[in-house]
Amino acid sequence: MNKNRCFWCSNNPIYIKYHDNEWGKPVYDDALLFEMLLLESFQAGLSWFTILQKRENFREAFDQFNVQKIAQYNENKLHELQQNNEIIKNKLKIKAAVTNAQAFTKIQHEFGKFATYLWAFTNNQIINNTNITPQNYFVITPLSDQIAKDLKKRGFKFMGSTTVYAYLQAIGIVNDHAQNCFIREQ
């Protein structure tokens, strides 16, 4: 049976799997929140499809997205990552992954969990946007502006408002599934 999916979801199995099983589902687990944050920061300026194709390579290269380990990466590890042809080899993004891991762990220490910090921006509520179409589709909002500004103040890199909005969609704080998408109808 053919299912109606969001307009951005092509017939590619990688996109379909991501859309149907992950995108827009609320995430409260810090490990997955960090994984998605790291991936979104590498996506800046690239297609999400590129990141999804390389996701397992990122997982292997970045110690299963272990935030504690990544926060401790040294210059040798950074150099190793910059030579890895299986990931995005952008030197600034690789360095930002370490900086962001350090900032992420500081938030965990301050709030107990990164999820507590992040979900507090919406009072633990999911934002359900309506009438999502290719013509009526957000890429930034006042919420993403606010969170990006706070993340920047806390030392995060490559987490501007557009990246933060994509992150909020991915982790389910924002539900931007199209009205006719089978996921919204569940």
Side-chain angles (χ1 to χ4, degrees):
M1 175 173 98
N2 261 347
K3 295 179 180 179
N4 286 330
R5 291 183 173 85
C6 295
F7 56 87
W8 59 263
C9 186
S10 69
N11 290 327
N12 187 289
I14 293 172
Y15 258 159
I16 290 172
K17 180 181 176 189
Y18 176 68
H19 172 273
D20 291 1
N21 299 311
E22 290 185 74
W23 192 73
K25 298 206 189 290
V27 176
Y28 303 94
D29 175 68
D30 275 9
L32 185 52
L33 287 171
F34 180 72
E35 174 181 344
M36 296 310 294
L37 187 135
L38 184 142
L39 293 173
E40 289 288 355
S41 71
F42 272 90
Q43 185 272 331
L46 302 170
S47 77
W48 186 241
F49 185 71
T50 298
I51 301 302
L52 288 177
Q53 286 180 303
K54 294 179 177 283
R55 188 176 190 175
E56 291 309 312
N57 300 336
F58 274 102
R59 184 181 314 284
E60 185 177 322
F62 283 92
D63 290 296
Q64 309 300 307
F65 301 113
N66 182 316
V67 68
Q68 303 297 330
K69 284 185 179 180
I70 296 168
Q72 301 299 318
Y73 281 178
N74 60 27
E75 289 300 321
N76 289 338
K77 180 64 175 182
L78 294 177
H79 182 73
E80 173 191 316
L81 290 167
Q82 291 167 24
Q83 305 309 309
N84 186 335
N85 291 324
E86 304 302 315
I87 64 169
I88 308 301
K89 299 190 304 183
N90 182 299
K91 181 179 182 177
L92 295 175
K93 290 180 181 181
I94 290 169
K95 190 168 174 62
V98 178
T99 301
N100 291 350
Q102 292 164 348
F104 191 98
T105 59
K106 286 179 185 170
I107 288 174
Q108 286 179 313
H109 288 116
E110 182 179 345
F111 291 87
K113 286 183 66 180
F114 186 82
T116 302
Y117 158 79
L118 194 58
W119 280 91
F121 283 97
T122 64
N123 294 319
N124 298 307
Q125 299 300 306
I126 296 169
I127 297 170
N128 287 296
N129 289 322
T130 57
N131 300 319
I132 302 299
T133 66
Q135 299 77 28
N136 182 33
Y137 193 74
F138 302 107
V139 293
I140 63 169
T141 62
L143 175 63
S144 66
D145 289 344
Q146 178 188 11
I147 295 172
K149 183 178 179 181
D150 195 68
L151 290 173
K152 183 177 182 179
K153 182 180 79 176
R154 292 173 181 275
F156 284 81
K157 307 289 184 204
F158 286 96
M159 292 304 295
S161 189
T162 302
T163 301
V164 167
Y165 194 74
Y167 179 59
L168 297 176
Q169 291 172 308
I171 62 169
I173 288 179
V174 172
N175 177 6
D176 273 350
H177 282 283
Q179 292 309 119
N180 67 342
C181 177
F182 82 95
I183 300 234
R184 184 169 299 258
E185 296 168 0
Q186 291 178 342

